[in-house]
Short mmCIF file of all heavy atoms in Angstrom, two decimals:
data_model
loop_
_atom_site.label_atom_id
_atom_site.label_comp_id
_atom_site.label_asym_id
_atom_site.label_seq_id
_atom_site.Cartn_x
_atom_site.Cartn_y
_atom_site.Cartn_z
N MET J 227 11.46 -6.16 13.49
CA MET J 227 10.70 -7.21 14.15
C MET J 227 11.66 -8.29 14.64
O MET J 227 11.53 -8.75 15.79
CB MET J 227 9.65 -7.77 13.18
CG MET J 227 8.83 -8.91 13.72
SD MET J 227 9.56 -10.54 13.45
CE MET J 227 9.36 -10.76 11.70
N LEU J 228 12.58 -8.70 13.81
CA LEU J 228 13.51 -9.75 14.23
C LEU J 228 14.39 -9.27 15.38
O LEU J 228 14.63 -10.03 16.33
CB LEU J 228 14.37 -10.20 13.04
CG LEU J 228 13.61 -10.90 11.92
CD1 LEU J 228 14.54 -11.17 10.74
CD2 LEU J 228 12.98 -12.20 12.41
N ALA J 229 14.85 -8.04 15.32
CA ALA J 229 15.67 -7.50 16.42
C ALA J 229 14.85 -7.39 17.69
O ALA J 229 15.35 -7.71 18.78
CB ALA J 229 16.24 -6.15 16.02
N ALA J 230 13.60 -6.96 17.57
CA ALA J 230 12.74 -6.84 18.75
C ALA J 230 12.48 -8.21 19.37
O ALA J 230 12.52 -8.36 20.59
CB ALA J 230 11.42 -6.16 18.37
N ARG J 231 12.24 -9.18 18.52
CA ARG J 231 12.00 -10.53 19.05
C ARG J 231 13.25 -11.08 19.72
O ARG J 231 13.18 -11.71 20.78
CB ARG J 231 11.53 -11.46 17.94
CG ARG J 231 10.09 -11.21 17.56
CD ARG J 231 9.62 -12.07 16.45
NE ARG J 231 9.93 -13.49 16.67
CZ ARG J 231 9.56 -14.45 15.86
NH1 ARG J 231 8.86 -14.18 14.79
NH2 ARG J 231 9.88 -15.69 16.10
N ALA J 232 14.39 -10.83 19.11
CA ALA J 232 15.65 -11.32 19.70
C ALA J 232 15.91 -10.69 21.05
O ALA J 232 16.55 -11.29 21.92
CB ALA J 232 16.81 -11.04 18.74
N ALA J 233 15.41 -9.47 21.23
CA ALA J 233 15.59 -8.76 22.49
C ALA J 233 14.41 -8.96 23.44
O ALA J 233 14.34 -8.31 24.48
CB ALA J 233 15.78 -7.26 22.22
N ASP J 234 13.48 -9.84 23.07
CA ASP J 234 12.30 -10.13 23.90
C ASP J 234 11.49 -8.88 24.23
O ASP J 234 11.04 -8.70 25.37
CB ASP J 234 12.70 -10.86 25.20
CG ASP J 234 13.21 -12.26 24.94
OD1 ASP J 234 12.70 -12.91 24.01
OD2 ASP J 234 14.14 -12.69 25.66
N VAL J 235 11.30 -8.03 23.25
CA VAL J 235 10.47 -6.85 23.46
C VAL J 235 9.02 -7.30 23.60
O VAL J 235 8.48 -7.92 22.67
CB VAL J 235 10.61 -5.85 22.28
CG1 VAL J 235 9.63 -4.70 22.42
CG2 VAL J 235 12.04 -5.34 22.18
N PRO J 236 8.39 -7.01 24.72
CA PRO J 236 6.99 -7.42 24.91
C PRO J 236 6.08 -6.77 23.87
O PRO J 236 6.21 -5.58 23.57
CB PRO J 236 6.64 -6.90 26.31
CG PRO J 236 7.95 -6.68 26.99
CD PRO J 236 8.92 -6.31 25.90
N GLY J 237 5.20 -7.56 23.30
CA GLY J 237 4.21 -7.03 22.37
C GLY J 237 4.59 -7.12 20.92
O GLY J 237 3.77 -6.87 20.05
N ILE J 238 5.83 -7.45 20.61
CA ILE J 238 6.22 -7.65 19.22
C ILE J 238 6.31 -9.16 19.00
O ILE J 238 7.27 -9.81 19.44
CB ILE J 238 7.56 -6.96 18.89
CG1 ILE J 238 7.46 -5.45 19.11
CG2 ILE J 238 7.99 -7.28 17.45
CD1 ILE J 238 6.47 -4.73 18.20
N ILE J 239 5.30 -9.69 18.35
CA ILE J 239 5.21 -11.14 18.19
C ILE J 239 5.75 -11.59 16.83
O ILE J 239 6.49 -12.55 16.74
CB ILE J 239 3.74 -11.59 18.39
CG1 ILE J 239 3.30 -11.21 19.80
CG2 ILE J 239 3.59 -13.09 18.13
CD1 ILE J 239 1.82 -11.33 20.04
N GLY J 240 5.35 -10.91 15.78
CA GLY J 240 5.83 -11.29 14.45
C GLY J 240 5.39 -12.67 14.03
O GLY J 240 6.17 -13.44 13.46
N GLU J 241 4.15 -12.94 14.25
CA GLU J 241 3.61 -14.29 14.04
C GLU J 241 3.79 -14.79 12.61
O GLU J 241 3.99 -15.98 12.39
CB GLU J 241 2.12 -14.25 14.40
CG GLU J 241 1.46 -15.58 14.57
CD GLU J 241 0.06 -15.39 15.14
OE1 GLU J 241 -0.04 -15.21 16.36
OE2 GLU J 241 -0.89 -15.42 14.35
N CYS J 242 3.73 -13.91 11.62
CA CYS J 242 3.82 -14.36 10.22
C CYS J 242 5.25 -14.38 9.70
O CYS J 242 5.48 -14.71 8.54
CB CYS J 242 2.94 -13.49 9.33
SG CYS J 242 3.59 -11.84 9.02
N GLY J 243 6.19 -14.00 10.54
CA GLY J 243 7.58 -14.03 10.12
C GLY J 243 7.98 -12.88 9.21
O GLY J 243 9.05 -12.92 8.60
N GLY J 244 7.13 -11.90 9.07
CA GLY J 244 7.48 -10.73 8.27
C GLY J 244 6.83 -10.68 6.90
O GLY J 244 7.21 -9.86 6.07
N SER J 245 5.82 -11.51 6.67
CA SER J 245 5.17 -11.52 5.36
C SER J 245 3.93 -10.63 5.30
O SER J 245 3.14 -10.73 4.38
CB SER J 245 4.80 -12.95 4.96
OG SER J 245 3.92 -13.53 5.93
N MET J 246 3.79 -9.75 6.28
CA MET J 246 2.70 -8.77 6.33
C MET J 246 1.31 -9.43 6.34
O MET J 246 0.41 -8.98 5.66
CB MET J 246 2.83 -7.75 5.20
CG MET J 246 4.03 -6.85 5.35
SD MET J 246 3.91 -5.28 4.47
CE MET J 246 4.01 -5.79 2.78
N ASN J 247 1.18 -10.45 7.13
CA ASN J 247 -0.12 -11.11 7.25
C ASN J 247 -0.73 -11.03 8.64
O ASN J 247 -1.90 -11.33 8.80
CB ASN J 247 -0.01 -12.59 6.88
CG ASN J 247 0.15 -12.79 5.40
OD1 ASN J 247 -0.52 -12.15 4.62
ND2 ASN J 247 1.05 -13.68 5.01
N CYS J 248 0.06 -10.66 9.65
CA CYS J 248 -0.45 -10.82 11.01
C CYS J 248 -0.66 -9.50 11.77
O CYS J 248 -1.47 -9.45 12.67
CB CYS J 248 0.49 -11.71 11.82
SG CYS J 248 2.09 -10.97 12.18
N LEU J 249 0.09 -8.49 11.45
CA LEU J 249 0.02 -7.18 12.12
C LEU J 249 0.42 -7.25 13.60
O LEU J 249 0.14 -6.33 14.35
CB LEU J 249 -1.36 -6.55 11.97
CG LEU J 249 -1.93 -6.47 10.55
CD1 LEU J 249 -3.29 -5.80 10.55
CD2 LEU J 249 -0.98 -5.77 9.62
N THR J 250 1.06 -8.33 14.01
CA THR J 250 1.47 -8.47 15.42
C THR J 250 2.85 -7.86 15.68
O THR J 250 3.46 -8.14 16.70
CB THR J 250 1.46 -9.93 15.86
OG1 THR J 250 2.42 -10.66 15.08
CG2 THR J 250 0.09 -10.55 15.74
N CYS J 251 3.28 -7.04 14.76
CA CYS J 251 4.58 -6.37 14.92
C CYS J 251 4.43 -4.86 14.88
O CYS J 251 5.39 -4.13 14.67
CB CYS J 251 5.54 -6.83 13.83
SG CYS J 251 5.01 -6.34 12.18
N HIS J 252 3.20 -4.39 15.10
CA HIS J 252 2.90 -2.96 15.04
C HIS J 252 3.71 -2.19 16.09
O HIS J 252 3.84 -2.62 17.23
CB HIS J 252 1.40 -2.79 15.28
CG HIS J 252 0.92 -1.38 15.34
ND1 HIS J 252 -0.12 -0.99 16.14
CD2 HIS J 252 1.33 -0.27 14.70
CE1 HIS J 252 -0.35 0.30 15.98
NE2 HIS J 252 0.53 0.77 15.12
N CYS J 253 4.23 -1.04 15.68
CA CYS J 253 4.93 -0.17 16.61
C CYS J 253 4.65 1.28 16.25
O CYS J 253 4.07 1.57 15.20
CB CYS J 253 6.44 -0.41 16.56
SG CYS J 253 7.23 0.32 15.11
N TYR J 254 5.06 2.16 17.14
CA TYR J 254 5.06 3.60 16.85
C TYR J 254 6.51 4.05 16.78
O TYR J 254 7.33 3.67 17.62
CB TYR J 254 4.37 4.38 17.96
CG TYR J 254 2.93 3.99 18.20
CD1 TYR J 254 2.50 3.64 19.47
CD2 TYR J 254 2.00 4.00 17.16
CE1 TYR J 254 1.18 3.28 19.70
CE2 TYR J 254 0.68 3.65 17.38
CZ TYR J 254 0.28 3.30 18.65
OH TYR J 254 -1.03 2.93 18.89
N VAL J 255 6.81 4.85 15.78
CA VAL J 255 8.13 5.46 15.65
C VAL J 255 8.04 6.84 16.31
O VAL J 255 7.06 7.57 16.10
CB VAL J 255 8.53 5.60 14.16
CG1 VAL J 255 9.88 6.28 14.04
CG2 VAL J 255 8.53 4.25 13.48
N ALA J 256 9.03 7.19 17.10
CA ALA J 256 9.03 8.51 17.73
C ALA J 256 8.87 9.57 16.65
O ALA J 256 9.54 9.50 15.61
CB ALA J 256 10.32 8.73 18.51
N PRO J 257 7.99 10.54 16.86
CA PRO J 257 7.74 11.56 15.83
C PRO J 257 9.03 12.22 15.31
O PRO J 257 9.15 12.50 14.12
CB PRO J 257 6.83 12.56 16.54
CG PRO J 257 6.07 11.71 17.51
CD PRO J 257 7.09 10.69 18.01
N ALA J 258 9.98 12.43 16.18
CA ALA J 258 11.23 13.08 15.75
C ALA J 258 12.05 12.18 14.82
O ALA J 258 12.93 12.68 14.11
CB ALA J 258 12.06 13.44 16.98
N ASP J 259 11.74 10.90 14.81
CA ASP J 259 12.54 9.95 14.01
C ASP J 259 11.83 9.46 12.76
O ASP J 259 12.43 8.73 11.96
CB ASP J 259 12.89 8.73 14.87
CG ASP J 259 13.80 9.08 16.03
OD1 ASP J 259 14.64 9.98 15.87
OD2 ASP J 259 13.67 8.44 17.09
N ILE J 260 10.60 9.84 12.55
CA ILE J 260 9.81 9.26 11.47
C ILE J 260 10.43 9.55 10.10
O ILE J 260 10.41 8.69 9.21
CB ILE J 260 8.33 9.72 11.55
CG1 ILE J 260 7.44 8.82 10.70
CG2 ILE J 260 8.16 11.16 11.15
CD1 ILE J 260 7.15 7.50 11.31
N ALA J 261 11.03 10.71 9.92
CA ALA J 261 11.64 11.03 8.63
C ALA J 261 12.84 10.12 8.35
O ALA J 261 13.12 9.79 7.19
CB ALA J 261 12.07 12.49 8.59
N ARG J 262 13.53 9.72 9.39
CA ARG J 262 14.69 8.84 9.22
C ARG J 262 14.26 7.45 8.77
O ARG J 262 14.98 6.77 8.04
CB ARG J 262 15.50 8.74 10.51
CG ARG J 262 16.15 10.06 10.88
CD ARG J 262 16.78 10.01 12.26
NE ARG J 262 17.86 9.04 12.34
CZ ARG J 262 18.41 8.64 13.48
NH1 ARG J 262 17.97 9.14 14.62
NH2 ARG J 262 19.38 7.77 13.48
N ILE J 263 13.11 7.01 9.24
CA ILE J 263 12.60 5.69 8.86
C ILE J 263 12.08 5.70 7.43
O ILE J 263 12.23 4.74 6.69
CB ILE J 263 11.47 5.26 9.83
CG1 ILE J 263 12.00 5.12 11.25
CG2 ILE J 263 10.81 3.97 9.36
CD1 ILE J 263 12.97 3.99 11.45
N GLY J 264 11.44 6.80 7.07
CA GLY J 264 10.85 6.89 5.74
C GLY J 264 9.42 6.40 5.75
O GLY J 264 8.97 5.78 6.71
N PRO J 265 8.71 6.67 4.68
CA PRO J 265 7.29 6.32 4.64
C PRO J 265 7.09 4.82 4.40
O PRO J 265 7.94 4.15 3.82
CB PRO J 265 6.77 7.14 3.45
CG PRO J 265 7.95 7.25 2.54
CD PRO J 265 9.16 7.34 3.45
N PRO J 266 5.93 4.32 4.84
CA PRO J 266 5.60 2.93 4.54
C PRO J 266 5.25 2.78 3.06
O PRO J 266 4.88 3.75 2.40
CB PRO J 266 4.38 2.66 5.42
CG PRO J 266 3.74 3.99 5.59
CD PRO J 266 4.87 4.98 5.60
N THR J 267 5.37 1.58 2.55
CA THR J 267 4.90 1.31 1.19
C THR J 267 3.37 1.42 1.19
O THR J 267 2.74 1.45 2.25
CB THR J 267 5.28 -0.11 0.75
OG1 THR J 267 4.62 -1.05 1.61
CG2 THR J 267 6.79 -0.30 0.78
N GLN J 268 2.79 1.46 0.02
CA GLN J 268 1.32 1.53 -0.05
C GLN J 268 0.69 0.30 0.58
O GLN J 268 -0.33 0.41 1.28
CB GLN J 268 0.87 1.66 -1.52
CG GLN J 268 -0.63 1.90 -1.64
CD GLN J 268 -1.06 3.19 -0.95
OE1 GLN J 268 -0.54 4.26 -1.24
NE2 GLN J 268 -2.03 3.09 -0.04
N ILE J 269 1.29 -0.85 0.38
CA ILE J 269 0.73 -2.09 0.96
C ILE J 269 0.78 -2.00 2.49
O ILE J 269 -0.19 -2.29 3.18
CB ILE J 269 1.49 -3.33 0.46
CG1 ILE J 269 1.26 -3.51 -1.03
CG2 ILE J 269 1.06 -4.58 1.24
CD1 ILE J 269 2.14 -4.58 -1.67
N GLU J 270 1.93 -1.59 3.02
CA GLU J 270 2.05 -1.47 4.48
C GLU J 270 1.06 -0.43 5.00
O GLU J 270 0.39 -0.65 6.01
CB GLU J 270 3.47 -1.11 4.89
CG GLU J 270 3.64 -1.02 6.40
CD GLU J 270 5.03 -0.56 6.83
OE1 GLU J 270 5.92 -0.41 5.98
OE2 GLU J 270 5.20 -0.36 8.04
N SER J 271 0.95 0.68 4.31
CA SER J 271 0.03 1.73 4.72
C SER J 271 -1.41 1.21 4.75
O SER J 271 -2.17 1.48 5.69
CB SER J 271 0.16 2.92 3.77
OG SER J 271 -0.70 3.95 4.16
N ASP J 272 -1.79 0.46 3.74
CA ASP J 272 -3.15 -0.11 3.71
C ASP J 272 -3.36 -1.05 4.88
O ASP J 272 -4.42 -1.04 5.51
CB ASP J 272 -3.39 -0.85 2.39
CG ASP J 272 -3.48 0.09 1.20
OD1 ASP J 272 -3.62 1.31 1.40
OD2 ASP J 272 -3.39 -0.42 0.06
N LEU J 273 -2.36 -1.85 5.20
CA LEU J 273 -2.47 -2.79 6.32
C LEU J 273 -2.56 -2.05 7.65
O LEU J 273 -3.30 -2.45 8.55
CB LEU J 273 -1.29 -3.75 6.34
CG LEU J 273 -1.29 -4.79 5.22
CD1 LEU J 273 0.05 -5.48 5.15
CD2 LEU J 273 -2.41 -5.80 5.43
N LEU J 274 -1.83 -0.96 7.76
CA LEU J 274 -1.84 -0.20 9.02
C LEU J 274 -3.22 0.39 9.30
O LEU J 274 -3.55 0.66 10.46
CB LEU J 274 -0.77 0.90 8.99
CG LEU J 274 0.66 0.39 9.14
CD1 LEU J 274 1.65 1.48 8.77
CD2 LEU J 274 0.91 -0.11 10.56
N ASP J 275 -4.03 0.54 8.27
CA ASP J 275 -5.41 1.00 8.49
C ASP J 275 -6.19 -0.01 9.33
O ASP J 275 -7.20 0.34 9.94
CB ASP J 275 -6.13 1.21 7.16
CG ASP J 275 -5.64 2.44 6.42
OD1 ASP J 275 -5.01 3.31 7.06
OD2 ASP J 275 -5.88 2.52 5.20
N GLY J 276 -5.71 -1.26 9.38
CA GLY J 276 -6.43 -2.30 10.11
C GLY J 276 -5.91 -2.58 11.50
O GLY J 276 -6.48 -3.42 12.20
N VAL J 277 -4.86 -1.91 11.93
CA VAL J 277 -4.35 -2.18 13.27
C VAL J 277 -5.14 -1.39 14.31
O VAL J 277 -5.71 -0.34 14.01
CB VAL J 277 -2.83 -1.87 13.42
CG1 VAL J 277 -2.01 -2.69 12.46
CG2 VAL J 277 -2.56 -0.39 13.29
N ILE J 278 -5.17 -1.92 15.51
CA ILE J 278 -5.84 -1.22 16.61
C ILE J 278 -4.97 -0.05 17.03
O ILE J 278 -3.74 -0.18 17.14
CB ILE J 278 -6.06 -2.18 17.79
CG1 ILE J 278 -6.99 -3.32 17.35
CG2 ILE J 278 -6.62 -1.45 19.01
CD1 ILE J 278 -7.11 -4.44 18.36
N GLU J 279 -5.59 1.10 17.24
CA GLU J 279 -4.90 2.31 17.68
C GLU J 279 -3.82 2.76 16.71
O GLU J 279 -2.72 3.13 17.11
CB GLU J 279 -4.32 2.12 19.08
CG GLU J 279 -5.38 1.88 20.13
CD GLU J 279 -4.81 1.68 21.53
OE1 GLU J 279 -3.62 1.95 21.76
OE2 GLU J 279 -5.57 1.24 22.39
N ALA J 280 -4.14 2.71 15.41
CA ALA J 280 -3.19 3.22 14.41
C ALA J 280 -3.01 4.72 14.58
O ALA J 280 -3.95 5.44 14.94
CB ALA J 280 -3.70 2.91 13.02
N ARG J 281 -1.79 5.15 14.33
CA ARG J 281 -1.46 6.58 14.38
C ARG J 281 -0.65 6.94 13.14
O ARG J 281 -0.21 6.06 12.40
CB ARG J 281 -0.61 6.90 15.62
CG ARG J 281 -1.30 6.61 16.93
CD ARG J 281 -0.36 6.94 18.08
NE ARG J 281 -0.93 6.55 19.37
CZ ARG J 281 -0.23 6.50 20.49
NH1 ARG J 281 1.04 6.82 20.50
NH2 ARG J 281 -0.82 6.14 21.62
N GLU J 282 -0.42 8.23 12.98
CA GLU J 282 0.38 8.70 11.84
C GLU J 282 1.76 8.07 11.83
O GLU J 282 2.34 7.85 10.77
CB GLU J 282 0.53 10.23 11.90
CG GLU J 282 -0.74 10.99 11.62
CD GLU J 282 -1.03 11.09 10.14
OE1 GLU J 282 -0.08 11.21 9.37
OE2 GLU J 282 -2.22 11.04 9.79
N ASN J 283 2.28 7.78 13.01
CA ASN J 283 3.64 7.24 13.12
C ASN J 283 3.65 5.72 13.32
O ASN J 283 4.65 5.16 13.75
CB ASN J 283 4.39 7.92 14.26
CG ASN J 283 3.70 7.80 15.61
OD1 ASN J 283 2.49 7.60 15.67
ND2 ASN J 283 4.45 7.92 16.67
N SER J 284 2.55 5.07 12.99
CA SER J 284 2.51 3.60 13.08
C SER J 284 3.33 2.98 11.96
O SER J 284 3.36 3.48 10.84
CB SER J 284 1.06 3.10 12.93
OG SER J 284 0.30 3.37 14.07
N ARG J 285 3.99 1.90 12.28
CA ARG J 285 4.71 1.11 11.28
C ARG J 285 4.66 -0.36 11.68
O ARG J 285 4.44 -0.69 12.84
CB ARG J 285 6.18 1.55 11.18
CG ARG J 285 6.42 2.92 10.59
CD ARG J 285 5.96 3.04 9.14
NE ARG J 285 6.59 2.07 8.27
CZ ARG J 285 7.71 2.29 7.58
NH1 ARG J 285 8.29 3.44 7.65
NH2 ARG J 285 8.22 1.33 6.82
N LEU J 286 4.89 -1.20 10.70
CA LEU J 286 5.08 -2.62 10.97
C LEU J 286 6.58 -2.83 11.10
O LEU J 286 7.34 -2.55 10.16
CB LEU J 286 4.52 -3.47 9.83
CG LEU J 286 3.02 -3.34 9.59
CD1 LEU J 286 2.60 -4.18 8.39
CD2 LEU J 286 2.23 -3.75 10.83
N THR J 287 7.00 -3.31 12.25
CA THR J 287 8.45 -3.44 12.47
C THR J 287 9.08 -4.42 11.49
O THR J 287 10.27 -4.30 11.19
CB THR J 287 8.77 -3.88 13.91
OG1 THR J 287 8.08 -5.09 14.20
CG2 THR J 287 8.39 -2.81 14.91
N CYS J 288 8.30 -5.34 10.96
CA CYS J 288 8.89 -6.31 10.02
C CYS J 288 9.27 -5.66 8.69
O CYS J 288 9.99 -6.28 7.90
CB CYS J 288 7.94 -7.48 9.78
SG CYS J 288 6.44 -7.08 8.88
N GLN J 289 8.83 -4.44 8.47
CA GLN J 289 9.14 -3.76 7.22
C GLN J 289 10.24 -2.73 7.37
O GLN J 289 10.59 -2.03 6.43
CB GLN J 289 7.87 -3.12 6.64
CG GLN J 289 6.78 -4.14 6.37
CD GLN J 289 7.26 -5.26 5.46
OE1 GLN J 289 7.69 -5.01 4.33
NE2 GLN J 289 7.22 -6.50 5.94
N ILE J 290 10.78 -2.60 8.56
CA ILE J 290 11.86 -1.65 8.81
C ILE J 290 13.18 -2.39 8.80
O ILE J 290 13.41 -3.29 9.62
CB ILE J 290 11.65 -0.93 10.17
CG1 ILE J 290 10.33 -0.15 10.13
CG2 ILE J 290 12.83 -0.01 10.48
CD1 ILE J 290 9.92 0.43 11.47
N VAL J 291 14.01 -2.05 7.86
CA VAL J 291 15.32 -2.68 7.74
C VAL J 291 16.31 -1.94 8.62
O VAL J 291 16.47 -0.72 8.50
CB VAL J 291 15.81 -2.68 6.27
CG1 VAL J 291 17.20 -3.29 6.16
CG2 VAL J 291 14.81 -3.42 5.39
N VAL J 292 16.96 -2.67 9.50
CA VAL J 292 17.93 -2.07 10.40
C VAL J 292 19.16 -1.64 9.60
O VAL J 292 19.71 -2.42 8.83
CB VAL J 292 18.34 -3.06 11.52
CG1 VAL J 292 19.43 -2.48 12.39
CG2 VAL J 292 17.11 -3.43 12.35
N ARG J 293 19.52 -0.37 9.75
CA ARG J 293 20.70 0.18 9.07
C ARG J 293 21.46 1.06 10.06
O ARG J 293 20.88 1.55 11.04
CB ARG J 293 20.34 1.05 7.87
CG ARG J 293 19.07 0.76 7.16
CD ARG J 293 18.86 1.73 5.98
NE ARG J 293 18.46 3.05 6.38
CZ ARG J 293 17.18 3.45 6.46
NH1 ARG J 293 16.20 2.61 6.21
NH2 ARG J 293 16.90 4.69 6.79
N ALA J 294 22.71 1.26 9.78
CA ALA J 294 23.56 2.03 10.69
C ALA J 294 23.01 3.43 10.93
O ALA J 294 23.08 3.96 12.04
CB ALA J 294 24.99 2.10 10.16
N ASP J 295 22.43 4.05 9.90
CA ASP J 295 21.95 5.43 10.07
C ASP J 295 20.68 5.51 10.91
O ASP J 295 20.20 6.61 11.20
CB ASP J 295 21.76 6.11 8.71
CG ASP J 295 20.67 5.46 7.88
OD1 ASP J 295 20.66 4.23 7.74
OD2 ASP J 295 19.81 6.21 7.38
N LEU J 296 20.13 4.39 11.30
CA LEU J 296 18.96 4.40 12.19
C LEU J 296 19.36 4.27 13.65
O LEU J 296 18.49 4.20 14.52
CB LEU J 296 17.98 3.28 11.82
CG LEU J 296 17.35 3.38 10.43
CD1 LEU J 296 16.33 2.27 10.24
CD2 LEU J 296 16.72 4.75 10.20
N ASP J 297 20.63 4.29 13.93
CA ASP J 297 21.10 4.21 15.32
C ASP J 297 20.46 5.33 16.13
O ASP J 297 20.49 6.49 15.74
CB ASP J 297 22.63 4.33 15.36
CG ASP J 297 23.18 4.12 16.76
OD1 ASP J 297 22.62 3.29 17.50
OD2 ASP J 297 24.16 4.81 17.11
N GLY J 298 19.85 4.96 17.25
CA GLY J 298 19.25 5.94 18.14
C GLY J 298 17.77 6.20 17.90
O GLY J 298 17.14 6.93 18.66
N VAL J 299 17.22 5.63 16.84
CA VAL J 299 15.78 5.81 16.59
C VAL J 299 15.00 5.14 17.72
O VAL J 299 15.36 4.07 18.20
CB VAL J 299 15.39 5.20 15.21
CG1 VAL J 299 13.87 5.11 15.06
CG2 VAL J 299 15.99 6.04 14.09
N THR J 300 13.93 5.80 18.13
CA THR J 300 13.12 5.30 19.24
C THR J 300 11.78 4.76 18.74
O THR J 300 11.10 5.41 17.95
CB THR J 300 12.85 6.42 20.27
OG1 THR J 300 14.10 6.91 20.74
CG2 THR J 300 12.01 5.92 21.43
N PHE J 301 11.47 3.56 19.18
CA PHE J 301 10.20 2.92 18.86
C PHE J 301 9.46 2.66 20.17
O PHE J 301 10.07 2.49 21.21
CB PHE J 301 10.44 1.55 18.19
CG PHE J 301 11.22 1.62 16.91
CD1 PHE J 301 12.61 1.47 16.92
CD2 PHE J 301 10.58 1.80 15.71
CE1 PHE J 301 13.33 1.52 15.74
CE2 PHE J 301 11.29 1.85 14.52
CZ PHE J 301 12.67 1.71 14.54
N SER J 302 8.15 2.60 20.08
CA SER J 302 7.36 2.15 21.23
C SER J 302 6.30 1.19 20.75
O SER J 302 5.93 1.18 19.57
CB SER J 302 6.75 3.34 21.97
OG SER J 302 5.90 4.07 21.11
N VAL J 303 5.86 0.37 21.67
CA VAL J 303 4.85 -0.65 21.37
C VAL J 303 3.51 -0.14 21.90
O VAL J 303 3.45 0.35 23.03
CB VAL J 303 5.23 -2.00 22.04
CG1 VAL J 303 4.17 -3.04 21.79
CG2 VAL J 303 6.59 -2.47 21.54
N PRO J 304 2.46 -0.24 21.08
CA PRO J 304 1.15 0.17 21.58
C PRO J 304 0.84 -0.53 22.91
O PRO J 304 1.11 -1.72 23.05
CB PRO J 304 0.19 -0.27 20.48
CG PRO J 304 1.04 -0.24 19.24
CD PRO J 304 2.41 -0.69 19.69
N GLN J 305 0.25 0.21 23.82
CA GLN J 305 0.03 -0.29 25.17
C GLN J 305 -0.75 -1.60 25.18
O GLN J 305 -0.44 -2.50 25.95
CB GLN J 305 -0.68 0.76 26.00
CG GLN J 305 -0.67 0.46 27.48
CD GLN J 305 -1.10 1.66 28.30
OE1 GLN J 305 -1.67 2.61 27.78
NE2 GLN J 305 -0.81 1.61 29.57
N TRP J 306 -1.75 -1.72 24.32
CA TRP J 306 -2.58 -2.93 24.33
C TRP J 306 -1.79 -4.16 23.89
O TRP J 306 -2.16 -5.28 24.24
CB TRP J 306 -3.83 -2.74 23.47
CG TRP J 306 -3.55 -2.72 21.99
CD1 TRP J 306 -3.24 -1.65 21.23
CD2 TRP J 306 -3.52 -3.85 21.14
NE1 TRP J 306 -3.02 -2.02 19.95
CE2 TRP J 306 -3.18 -3.38 19.85
CE3 TRP J 306 -3.73 -5.21 21.31
CZ2 TRP J 306 -3.06 -4.23 18.76
CZ3 TRP J 306 -3.61 -6.05 20.21
CH2 TRP J 306 -3.28 -5.56 18.96
N GLN J 307 -0.70 -3.95 23.14
CA GLN J 307 0.10 -5.10 22.69
C GLN J 307 1.06 -5.59 23.76
O GLN J 307 1.40 -6.76 23.80
CB GLN J 307 0.93 -4.71 21.45
CG GLN J 307 0.15 -4.61 20.19
CD GLN J 307 1.00 -4.17 19.01
OE1 GLN J 307 0.52 -3.44 18.17
NE2 GLN J 307 2.25 -4.58 18.94
N GLY J 308 1.56 -4.65 24.54
CA GLY J 308 2.60 -5.01 25.48
C GLY J 308 2.06 -5.39 26.81
O GLY J 308 2.57 -6.03 27.64
S1 FES K 158 5.46 -9.86 11.33
FE1 FES K 158 3.48 -10.19 10.57
S2 FES K 158 2.94 -8.28 9.75
FE2 FES K 158 4.89 -7.95 10.55
#
C-alpha cells in the first residue's frame, strides 16, 4: 500500500494507514504469483469478505510486505476503485 501510494497508483488510497480498517487498499494478485505472496491471515481473509468484487486472489495491499523475492509480482486494482 505504501509503495502503491508513493507511485500514485490510482485506486489505492490506504485511508487507515494500514490498520485494516478501511479496505481502500484492495488489490488482486496475478494468479501465477499468489503462491509467492502467501495466504492472508484469518483477520485479513475475514475483511476481504467485505470488499466489493472480492476474488480468490484478493488481498489488502497494506498487509503485503515488500521483499526482494517478490520482484516481478503483478498486482491489479479492481476496476471500480481505479
Ligand atoms: S490501508 Fe486500510 S485496510 Fe489497508
